[in-house]
Amino acid sequence: MDLSIFFVGTGGSVPSARRGLPATLVRLGADRILIDCGEGTQRQLLRSDGLADLTDIFITHHHSDHWLGLLGMLKTFELRERERPLTVHGPPGTKALLERFRVVFGRPSYGLSFVDLEPDEEVRRGGYAVTSIPVRHRGTAFGYAIVEDTRPGRFDAELAKALGVEFGPDFGRLQRGETVNGVRPEQVIGPERRGRRLVFSGDTRPTDHIVAAAYEADVLVHEATFTDEDVDRAQQTGHSTARQAAEVAAEAEVGLLALTHLSTRYHGREIRDEARAVFEHTEVPRDFDSIEVPLPDRGEPELHRWEPPRRPAPDPAPAAN
Amino acid sequence: MDLSIFFVGTGGSVPSARRGLPATLVRLGADRILIDCGEGTQRQLLRSDGLADLTDIFITHHHSDHWLGLLGMLKTFELRERERPLTVHGPPGTKALLERFRVVFGRPSYGLSFVDLEPDEEVRRGGYAVTSIPVRHRGTAFGYAIVEDTRPGRFDAELAKALGVEFGPDFGRLQRGETVNGVRPEQVIGPERRGRRLVFSGDTRPTDHIVAAAYEADVLVHEATFTDEDVDRAQQTGHSTARQAAEVAAEAEVGLLALTHLSTRYHGREIRDEARAVFEHTEVPRDFDSIEVPLPDRGEPELHRWEPPRRPAPDPAPAAN
């Protein structure tokens, strides 16, 4: 199943000409999971990957640069006559926060729910789960882990035949865990294969909760609002420096570290260089870049730079407002 | 004094890849007057003309595509440590509407006021006034006229000298309306010259209020959400077709008609062609295009297509959120 991370907005707190406000899209098979939704996210998507009917939305915390784009997007889904229900998940208080803004998006006919998650709560979906990770920002804030279900081990058909099991129903019995003609499943089936694991820190100071959740993750998307020159400021405002994020990645032994939520004072190179001095497999995506995450035995996660299409994607034609 | 209209967002109701949500900037000398502020307006400005410390903001009505971008922008001004007070004007209920969203932008230290305008109310500024025009949309909605003060007539210095008035304080007395050495001011000063007049329809069905306010205006910026094929739909939703907008412009004998608030179903050409069949001096600006409005005796208003700068403007470096 295809899995990739599409960086919709890689800035923090205020937008810049180059970086939109926080939003990251996870594309897992046909599912589209949005993490955070800063102002302008719907337009960023229209200008790049297209504005899909999102499967779920997860908000990391209640600072407005992380959710303000929801209001217009929820309204647009209604104008586009979306039919599929949509749930917005977030830390405690998310439901109350968004209910205050009903005046904007009303009661959409597609069925809209808001869910307050507890820390370490798991939201199960087909083939994967999303889990909230308590982090250390100003006020309650979550990171999220998206983890694929474990896949069964490889079945060695040649070996099974050599041991005298015939191709046909007996193969199925072995794969379901039954012993067939004295051949035990573990003789012909390899160890379970772990699913891919992506972790998103949200806004946070460095925290062991992210180290634990991201242990051997394929990709850790961590905030790096500052460089180490501003380490005191990072501490005061509940943010991380590039070096700190890289230390988290190194301790967690992740496959690839991607840094986002850059203050407008940085271009990206300073952030990347500082992090790479600690953890080499670091990227600083720009808006619309993506990271493809292959199955663990098929390669390493890799950054793809955005190339604009020759023509913009066709726009939907909704009712007028 | 330089006067131009900068088209920040020319779409309506939902954004598209090409057109942002409604926002139009009037640049009059050093003043920057924003009319409407759809989601993403601050980023549109950062990507083009720069996000200036706006002088005043006028909202046409309370549909969210016309004001949602205020919330993040008001917050950004605070993070950027704006010092100059800011007033947001709108139809009755604007103050109550925006107060509901205080949670987003708080109580900025620069001093933020919301003012509900009456229909036909004039807001005076240095050298010009902005007047609300009642229009016909769903719910209370305003257009706005921005009208420069009348300028005194031209002083004919050569003629004054020939009539025996000496260069010096006597010139000033004549210009202030005094008779000097038997020479009356009207002998050497031409008729008063009208100020430039810009009219913005906001969202509306065709209305005589706009015809009256826009009479002989230099530029009329009128909505044209639909083409005439959808005239019934325009009627139902309180919008105009391109033909209807052109008829308003023709009746008002404006200098130039600029059409905005296009439904995403149109590219612009259909809108332009339909309007030009009725009123030739019609343009359909794209995002970031501008119209320069020279003094009446110095030329005609003219559309300038946007050319992206070689490098984006430098970004401000605000505090982190």
Side-chain angles (χ1 to χ4, degrees), chain A residues 20-231:
Chain A
L21 290 168
T24 311
L25 185 70
V26 175
R27 304 179 289 200
L28 177 54
D31 283 8
R32 295 289 178 275
I33 306 147
L34 186 68
I35 298 180
D36 281 334
C37 187
E39 181 191 350
T41 295
Q42 58 172 335
R43 181 101 199 281
Q44 289 282 91
L45 284 166
L46 285 164
R47 293 178 55 217
S48 57
D49 195 49
L51 178 57
D53 269 2
L54 302 169
T55 314
D56 280 287
I57 301 176
F58 292 84
I59 300 299
T60 60
H61 64 294
H62 297 158
H63 291 155
S64 59
D65 52 321
H66 290 257
W67 60 266
L68 202 47
L70 272 179
L71 307 182
M73 181 185 280
L74 297 176
K75 175 79 177 170
T76 293
F77 285 147
E78 172 83 341
L79 291 170
R80 275 172 38 167
E81 300 177 357
R82 177 187 169 117
E83 294 183 352
R84 182 178 178 179
L86 177 63
T87 305
V88 180
H89 315 257
T94 296
K95 195 176 161 68
L97 176 74
L98 295 176
E99 285 295 349
R100 293 175 75 156
F101 298 94
R102 276 277 179 198
V103 63
V104 177
F105 49 81
R107 304 209 166 267
S109 56
Y110 54 82
L112 173 64
S113 323
F114 304 133
V115 172
D116 289 0
L117 297 175
E118 295 300 314
D120 304 306
E121 184 170 343
E122 186 182 90
V123 177
R124 285 218 57 81
R125 291 293 181 256
Y128 64 95
V130 184
T131 304
S132 58
I133 309 162
V135 296
R136 296 169 68 203
H137 192 44
R138 311 191 310 276
T140 305
F142 286 165
Y144 291 101
I146 300 183
V147 182
E148 278 187 305
D149 296 347
T150 300
R151 292 175 300 145
R154 277 186 207 289
F155 176 70
D156 189 336
E158 292 306 311
L159 180 58
K161 277 188 210 160
L163 293 172
V165 183
E166 279 185 27
F167 177 80
D170 282 348
F171 269 37
R173 291 193 187 100
L174 266 174
Q175 289 177 32
R176 284 195 304 275
E178 295 175 29
T179 296
V180 174
N181 300 346
V183 178
R184 282 166 293 115
E186 58 269 30
Q187 289 179 267
V188 293
I189 298 175
E192 283 194 334
R193 290 171 292 175
R194 67 170 186 84
R196 288 165 288 187
R197 174 188 291 267
L198 313 178
V199 173
F200 301 83
S201 74
D203 286 13
T204 187
R205 289 158 59 186
T207 164
D208 288 344
H209 285 273
I210 291 293
V211 175
Y215 185 65
E216 290 191 345
D218 297 83
V219 182
L220 169 61
V221 178
H222 202 289
E223 74 126 292
T225 307
F226 298 105
T227 59
D228 228 39
E229 213 173 73
D230 279 314
V231 66

Side-chain angles (χ1 to χ4, degrees), chain A residues 16 39-40 43 65 101 264 316, chain B residues 16 39-40 43 101 264 316 321:
Chain A
S16 71
E39 181 191 350
R43 181 101 199 281
D65 52 321
F101 298 94
T264 53
Chain B
S16 71
E39 181 190 351
R43 181 101 198 282
F101 297 93
T264 55
N321 193 25

Side-chain angles (χ1 to χ4, degrees), chain B residues 191-242:
Chain B
E192 284 195 334
R193 290 171 290 176
R194 68 170 185 85
R196 288 164 287 187
R197 174 188 291 267
L198 313 179
V199 172
F200 302 83
S201 74
D203 287 12
T204 186
R205 289 158 59 185
T207 164
D208 288 344
H209 286 273
I210 292 294
V211 175
Y215 184 67
E216 291 191 347
D218 297 83
V219 183
L220 169 61
V221 179
H222 201 289
E223 75 124 291
T225 308
F226 299 105
T227 58
D228 227 39
E229 213 173 73
D230 280 314
V231 66
D232 292 341
R233 182 155 182 70
Q235 168 81 9
Q236 284 157 22
T237 55
H239 288 294
S240 300
T241 68

Side-chain angles (χ1 to χ4, degrees), chain B residues 234-288:
Chain B
Q235 168 81 9
Q236 284 157 22
T237 55
H239 288 294
S240 300
T241 68
R243 176 186 58 79
Q244 291 173 328
E247 285 169 355
V248 168
E251 202 178 340
E253 300 175 33
V254 304
L256 180 66
L257 170 65
L259 298 176
T260 61
H261 202 271
L262 274 62
S263 164
T264 55
R265 72 192 71 183
Y266 304 114
H267 279 262
R269 275 188 309 277
E270 327 83 316
I271 294 283
R272 184 197 63 194
D273 293 347
E274 180 175 302
R276 282 192 180 169
V278 175
F279 187 78
E280 198 189 330
H281 296 133
T282 301
E283 299 284 1
V284 181
R286 297 185 290 230
D287 286 11
F288 308 162

Side-chain angles (χ1 to χ4, degrees), chain B residues 47-127:
Chain B
R47 291 178 56 218
S48 57
D49 195 49
L51 177 57
D53 268 3
L54 302 170
T55 315
D56 279 287
I57 301 176
F58 292 84
I59 300 300
T60 59
H61 64 294
H62 296 159
H63 291 154
S64 59
D65 52 322
H66 290 257
W67 59 267
L68 202 47
L70 272 179
L71 307 182
M73 180 185 280
L74 297 177
K75 175 80 178 171
T76 293
F77 285 147
E78 171 83 341
L79 292 170
R80 275 170 41 166
E81 300 176 356
R82 177 187 171 116
E83 293 183 351
R84 181 178 178 178
L86 178 63
T87 304
V88 180
H89 315 257
T94 296
K95 195 174 160 70
L97 177 75
L98 295 175
E99 285 295 348
R100 294 175 74 155
F101 297 93
R102 276 275 179 201
V103 63
V104 177
F105 49 82
R107 303 206 169 270
S109 55
Y110 54 83
L112 174 64
S113 322
F114 303 133
V115 171
D116 290 359
L117 298 176
E118 295 301 314
D120 304 306
E121 184 170 344
E122 186 183 89
V123 177
R124 286 219 56 82
R125 292 292 181 256

